[in-house]
Amino acid sequence: MNERPIRKRPFFRTRQDAVMFAVLLFLFSSLAFQAAAKEPPTMRSLSAEVICPCGCGLTVANCNHTTCSGRDEVRGKLKEYLKAGMTEEEILASLEQEYGKGIRAEPPMRGWDWSAWFLPLLALLGAVGTGGTLLSRWRRSETAETGPRVETAERSQEVADSGEDIDPKALEAFRKRLEEGE
Amino acid sequence: MNPLSINSAGKTALWCAFLFTLLSFLTAAAAAWRRETPMGLLTVSRRAFLAGFTLTTISTGTLLVLLGTHSFQNAYVWAHTSTTLPPFYSLSALWAGQEGSLLLWVWILLGYGALLLVRYRESPRMLPWILIALASTALFFLWLTLHAAPVFETLWEKFPEAPVGMVPEEGAGLNPLLQNPGMVVHPPLLYLGYVGFVIPFAFAIAVLGTGRTDAFWLRSTRRWSMTAWLFLTLGILAGARWAYVELGWGGYWGWDPVENASFIPWLTATAYIHSVMIEERRGMFRIWNMFLIIFTYILCLFGTFLTRSGLVSSVHSFANSPIGTYFAVFLGVGGFLVFGWLYMCRDRLRSVHRIESFLSREAAFLFNNVIILSMAFAVLWGTIYPMISEFLTGERASVGPPYFNKVLFPLAMLLLLLTAVGPIIAWRRAEPEALKRNLARPLLWTVAFCLGLLVSGVRNIAVLAGFFASGFVLFANLDDYFSATAVRHRNRGEHYLKSAWNLLRKNGRRYGGYLVHVGIALLIGGVMGAYYNREREVDLLPGDTAILEPYSVKLERVEEINEANRSGYRAVLAVSENGRIVETATPEISFFRGTGIERQRTSEVDILPRLSGDLYLVLAGVDEQGRAGLQLRWNALVGWVWVGGGLMFLGSLFALAPPPSRKGVRRSPA
């Protein structure tokens, strides 16, 4: 009985799968980096996470009203909670209970508010996927038509984009023709 | 001359401008309708447009006269000036309110159009369509300034209960936050940027109208697009600087909806400036470029809509007003028509060539566009999310700086990596070996730079990643520039510095772009520095000292301020650095006069700038015992934001400058 040689299937079927995987990996590792970079809550970090209830729309850290009762009230509470040893999420949850969801400077990652986080990621993946698909398709058809050609970066360093490669005579003739038309 | 007569003259001039612009629009439409361009109709349209601009200039001039002479019979002048306001700020009140800023907008729009018409010597077939696009937008804004937000309304027309002919002795005064030199330049620069995109937009409409789809329109609009981008960049930077020195919270960017409204078109315009290079060189991305420039201009209008509709709460949005509805209708109908038209023309706009390889500059630019557009979407989504959330759930969520920082950070890092690779990689298809060779040296420098940071105590992973990405951009662009300089120096025997200058001057588009990239790298470095900011709040009596390493601040005395337009306090502080007195700082707190803004207080901060970081001093208040409440902040590396911004400006100038002409060769007008 003839045994067929076992062909090892590549992990990524196309290059765009590899690009998508790399983008996903980068995004998640970046979020993980940011999470890892997070340090224990301080007055400063918490003030940047909470919107001032005075209605200015800025965070408590940024509210620039010189006498703002709303800001001072929240700051007082933050000091109290920090003293009590509460974690950042416990502090934000307590404030949310008192002032509503709008007190958080970012939408919480739950329920409908997931979409605030999820949609930009989805848009990026969609765009990278579309770009990658187009590129793969174009690359196949173009290579079949023209064959490989290489232009080195060094050549473009001197000449590229200088405008010197536009034939000035042709341009002048073209402009004259237009002026005559007018 | 009687102020009422001046007011009437301004109003009449604006009405006449409207009628002339309408004539320009109608005759341009009639000219576009014919198969052969009728030069007579085109001349009428062109001259009517120029007349519209002249009349709007007269109208704007009359408003400036009314503002300068404090003619409070005019409701706008009364609402935004007072007799105690310095003349400089009286004139800048032109853009302090909604009605005036709309007039400024339309004046700039007509000005751009007039400049184009005076200089334009290319295809007469495109001109009717260009005029249609320019005049229709101008008509909308002129109608707003005449009807929905009338700028020449008298007090008794605005407030029917006021007696006819009433002249108040004092005006309400200018918002104190606007009484700052930064705010004098920020709005006009921003408007020059926003409105500037009307020219490439009008050319895009002309391409759709005439079916002339070659890269001609891109060459004709390159400088216009770059100029608009430059003004938008400067406007955003001036706004950031104003926020830094005037708002007193120590930052320069708060992800406020109105800030975002200017940042979104900046992003799409940046994508456009990159992707047009591919169309010019390789005839690719035609439909994409059309989409980008149309979308950018619509986003500029959308930003204005956001500012004026009252849909979002912002520190600098105008009050809720009915013009938001007009904007929504104009944007909705206009956007639908233009994008619908673009869709119908899609077959004519197919690319001539295709991308051949993942390892090519075209592919790098494609992904650059993808990431920039994703960033624009993320900012747009975050900006409108509170409204959507309220509409769907009944509860308004807030979307502030932490959200934008988290979502945009990874995208910005990806973009920076592409910014480093993009200029180095070859067109069409790069050799992997050559690419590796070109990237090796900058990568080595970047790794060395990050190791240096690690050794000096930087441990935060996100901060290190940010410095790595911006360092890579910096070293990659500089390395390529200096390599090219060396090649030129070797080949032509010029002095090395002369080679460097000639390269920048002769190939300003490319190397000016490099300078912009270096500016962005430095700016991002400055932004990353915020992680190391420190602050203290102290109450000091005269003679007391507070310490914020390496500075110590001693309160010498508290002075009272009593000027024509404001009163307040000034803290005189002796600032020492490492034990040596380096400067006397004078942060102030002001109460501005004016009937409408009585006792409104603002902080005038004092800043000791250093490249390592600014010492930022705010006087929060003074109590009855003369005790001064002070906020001391150390803003790490913030100076690099302004240095980076300056380089972006300089690089854009090089990119805009025409290359020196060769003997006997006339320069391209684009």
Side-chain angles (χ1 to χ4, degrees):
Chain A
M1 195 174 126
N2 276 346
E3 270 190 33
R4 274 187 178 175
I6 300 166
R7 280 176 64 190
K8 202 177 167 188
R9 271 184 71 180
F11 189 72
F12 297 112
R13 293 182 63 153
T14 60
R15 202 173 281 190
Q16 96 222 34
D17 289 346
V19 171
M20 291 286 277
F21 180 76
V23 169
L24 261 178
L25 195 71
F26 181 85
L27 288 173
F28 285 123
S29 59
S30 143
L31 286 174
F33 271 172
Q34 289 190 59
K38 206 149 199 174
E39 284 163 9
T42 59
M43 191 64 197
R44 193 179 134 216
S45 69
L46 283 170
S47 304
E49 297 277 342
V50 178
I51 296 286
C52 182
C54 75
C56 66
L58 298 167
T59 59
V60 166
N62 295 355
C63 174
N64 63 330
H65 294 150
T66 36
T67 48
C68 177
S69 55
R71 181 193 58 192
D72 294 343
E73 186 184 301
V74 173
R75 286 174 67 129
K77 283 190 175 138
L78 290 178
K79 266 183 199 161
E80 196 182 302
Y81 294 152
L82 276 172
K83 216 171 179 181
M86 288 164 77
T87 64
E88 183 181 321
E89 196 38 55
E90 285 168 348
I91 293 172
L92 292 176
S94 302
L95 288 173
E96 188 180 336
Q97 219 165 21
E98 201 167 333
Y99 296 96
K101 192 168 68 177
I103 194 81
R104 288 175 182 260
E106 58 184 27
M109 288 189 187
R110 60 165 191 254
W112 157 258
D113 289 317
W114 259 109
S115 66
W117 300 93
F118 186 59
L119 225 60
L121 184 71
L122 207 68
L124 174 72
L125 291 178
V128 170
T130 312
T133 309
L134 276 176
L135 218 147
S136 300
R137 202 184 294 165
W138 284 354
R139 202 166 53 94
R140 275 198 295 273
S141 63
E142 187 79 7
T143 312
E145 283 165 23
T146 60
R149 251 193 274 175
V150 175
E151 186 183 340
T152 64
E154 271 183 29
R155 184 236 170 271
S156 59
Q157 274 182 348
E158 276 278 310
V159 189
D161 310 325
S162 65
E164 287 175 18
D165 46 354
I166 301 168
D167 181 4
K169 277 184 189 163
L171 200 67
E172 187 60 23
F174 173 68
R175 201 167 296 128
K176 253 187 197 157
R177 193 156 53 85
L178 291 173
E179 277 170 7
E180 279 163 14
E182 194 172 7
Chain B
M1 201 173 165
N2 181 355
L4 276 178
S5 310
I6 299 175
N7 195 58
S8 302
K11 196 174 184 175
T12 312
L14 206 55
W15 266 109
C16 292
F18 179 81
L19 293 175
F20 272 106
T21 311
L22 183 63
L23 176 68
S24 172
F25 174 79
L26 293 174
T27 45
W33 191 257
R34 308 263 185 88
R35 188 174 283 273
E36 288 295 318
T37 309
M39 297 316 291
L41 271 180
L42 205 52
T43 308
V44 172
S45 177
R46 192 172 167 275
R47 288 184 182 165
F49 191 92
L50 292 173
F53 167 64
T54 312
L55 287 159
T56 312
T57 307
I58 293 170
S59 186
T60 311
T62 52
L63 184 61
L64 284 174
V65 170
L66 292 171
L67 287 165
T69 54
H70 305 299
S71 304
F72 297 132
Q73 293 95 330
N74 177 301
Y76 183 79
V77 176
W78 171 81
H80 296 98
T81 64
S82 63
T83 52
T84 54
L85 196 65
F88 185 53
Y89 292 122
S90 294
L91 297 180
S92 73
L94 174 65
W95 49 85
Q98 179 156 272
E99 297 85 351
S101 58
L102 284 172
L103 179 65
L104 178 69
W105 180 293
V106 72
W107 180 68
I108 293 174
L109 197 158
L110 289 164
Y112 268 124
L115 195 61
L116 174 76
L117 293 179
V118 168
R119 290 173 55 92
Y120 191 75
R121 290 287 174 273
E122 282 94 26
S123 169
R125 260 182 68 210
M126 292 187 102
L127 201 53
W129 294 100
I130 292 171
L131 277 161
I132 287 173
L134 291 173
S136 55
T137 320
L139 278 173
F140 171 68
F141 278 95
L142 281 168
W143 185 77
L144 284 183
T145 53
L146 283 165
H147 178 74
V151 71
F152 290 105
E153 205 173 27
T154 57
L155 262 183
W156 47 95
E157 283 167 346
K158 191 173 177 79
F159 305 106
E161 65 277 13
V164 175
M166 170 196 171
V167 188
E169 283 181 12
E170 189 53 283
L174 185 66
N175 183 340
L177 291 176
L178 305 183
Q179 296 183 40
N180 176 281
M183 209 55 195
V184 174
V185 292
H186 162 58
L189 284 173
L190 213 52
Y191 284 9
L192 281 165
Y194 277 153
V195 186
F197 288 110
V198 77
I199 302 291
F201 167 78
F203 270 87
I205 296 294
V207 168
L208 293 179
T210 57
R212 188 178 169 179
T213 56
D214 59 307
F216 157 80
W217 75 283
L218 294 175
R219 283 197 292 275
S220 297
T221 57
R222 191 181 85 76
R223 292 227 161 80
W224 293 99
S225 317
M226 268 307 293
T227 307
W229 184 87
L230 172 62
F231 279 128
L232 193 55
T233 308
L234 286 177
I236 291 172
L237 286 169
R241 182 71 196 169
W242 166 78
Y244 187 62
V245 301
E246 188 63 24
L247 292 184
W249 55 274
Y252 44 85
W253 190 265
W255 295 107
D256 175 90
V258 178
E259 289 172 351
N260 296 350
S262 64
F263 187 50
I264 301 167
W266 184 86
L267 285 170
T268 54
T270 306
Y272 171 76
I273 282 170
H274 284 87
S275 79
V276 288
M277 285 187 238
I278 305 178
E279 185 173 345
E280 279 180 71
R281 260 187 174 260
R282 307 267 293 119
M284 294 158 72
F285 295 176
R286 284 178 171 171
I287 196 161
W288 177 244
N289 287 329
M290 295 284 285
F291 167 79
L292 272 183
I293 196 60
I294 293 169
F295 191 46
T296 298
Y297 188 59
I298 286 180
L299 282 173
C300 289
L301 294 174
F302 180 75
T304 319
F305 161 68
L306 265 192
T307 324
R308 288 166 172 80
S309 61
L311 275 177
V312 289
S313 55
S314 154
V315 279
H316 42 9
S317 61
F318 290 93
N320 204 342
S321 83
I323 71 163
T325 316
Y326 300 123
F327 261 101
V329 172
F330 182 70
L331 276 174
V333 174
F336 177 76
L337 288 177
V338 177
F339 283 126
W341 198 7
L342 181 64
Y343 181 75
M344 278 159 48
C345 295
R346 65 191 184 285
D347 288 335
R348 273 189 285 160
L349 293 163
R350 293 243 182 262
S351 295
V352 177
H353 296 289
R354 303 284 165 91
I355 291 179
E356 294 171 28
S357 165
F358 268 96
L359 278 183
S360 63
R361 195 177 293 180
E362 295 93 313
F365 277 24
L366 172 70
F367 285 108
N368 147 307
N369 268 231
V370 162
I371 293 167
I372 295 180
L373 265 281
S374 302
M375 288 173 82
F377 174 77
V379 180
L380 181 65
W381 179 240
T383 307
I384 59 173
Y385 184 76
M387 285 179 284
I388 292 173
S389 147
E390 191 174 18
F391 178 72
L392 291 174
T393 65
E395 198 179 2
R396 200 176 179 94
S398 300
V399 180
Y403 170 85
F404 291 104
N405 293 342
K406 275 183 194 149
V407 172
L408 291 180
F409 179 77
L411 295 174
M413 293 305 105
L414 274 176
L415 185 64
L416 283 173
L417 294 179
L418 275 176
T419 311
V421 176
I424 288 173
I425 197 166
W427 292 96
R428 301 193 70 177
R429 184 167 303 176
E431 283 178 289
E433 282 310 310
L435 186 63
K436 273 185 215 162
R437 212 170 40 240
N438 289 341
L439 285 176
R441 203 163 41 193
L443 206 57
L444 212 65
W445 278 109
T446 312
V447 170
F449 170 60
C450 288
L451 283 175
L453 289 175
L454 259 173
V455 170
S456 60
V458 178
R459 292 287 184 276
N460 185 287
I461 297 169
V463 175
L464 275 173
F467 278 120
F468 177 85
S470 48
F472 194 29
V473 173
L474 181 77
F475 293 119
N477 281 272
L478 288 181
D479 184 74
D480 198 47
Y481 173 63
F482 289 124
S483 300
T485 304
V487 169
R488 192 181 168 99
H489 164 68
R490 211 170 38 238
N491 290 349
R492 307 202 178 193
E494 290 173 348
H495 188 276
Y496 192 82
L497 286 178
K498 195 177 176 194
S499 287
W501 169 254
N502 280 341
L503 206 60
L504 199 58
R505 185 72 190 86
K506 273 194 79 174
N507 204 344
R509 187 173 181 189
R510 181 187 177 96
Y511 296 108
Y514 279 25
L515 208 52
V516 174
H517 290 168
V518 168
I520 287 177
L522 296 180
L523 191 148
I524 298 285
V527 171
M528 299 310 299
Y531 181 77
Y532 295 97
N533 288 355
R534 283 176 285 132
E535 65 179 80
R536 272 194 77 185
E537 286 182 20
V538 289
D539 291 325
L540 300 181
L541 280 166
D544 287 353
T545 300
I547 292 172
L548 184 74
E549 288 295 347
Y551 297 99
S552 69
V553 176
K554 183 182 175 190
L555 178 66
E556 298 278 346
R557 60 187 179 278
V558 175
E559 293 174 353
E560 277 197 32
I561 303 170
N562 211 342
E563 292 172 6
N565 65 331
R566 65 182 184 129
S567 60
Y569 298 99
R570 178 183 299 125
V572 180
L573 306 163
V575 182
S576 308
E577 189 177 3
N578 299 319
R580 193 169 53 88
I581 292 183
V582 285
E583 198 163 316
T584 302
T586 54
E588 297 172 358
I589 188 164
S590 302
F591 303 89
F592 279 79
R593 300 186 215 282
T595 53
I597 52 167
E598 194 64 62
R599 305 304 290 169
Q600 189 168 338
R601 48 196 284 178
T602 63
S603 284
E604 305 295 328
V605 302
D606 204 338
I607 302 167
L608 270 75
R610 300 278 188 279
L611 280 178
S612 57
D614 290 359
L615 178 65
Y616 190 91
L617 300 162
V618 187
L619 177 61
V622 177
D623 69 13
E624 285 157 4
Q625 284 85 44
R627 186 182 287 116
L630 287 164
Q631 287 173 10
L632 320 178
R633 290 169 189 262
W634 191 68
N635 294 331
L637 301 180
V638 70
W640 290 100
V641 172
W642 319 121
V643 173
L647 282 183
M648 286 169 76
F649 170 63
L650 201 65
S652 306
L653 287 186
F654 275 111
L656 268 171
S661 58
R662 287 176 296 177
K663 274 180 189 170
V665 176
R666 265 184 63 182
R667 235 177 247 155
S668 155

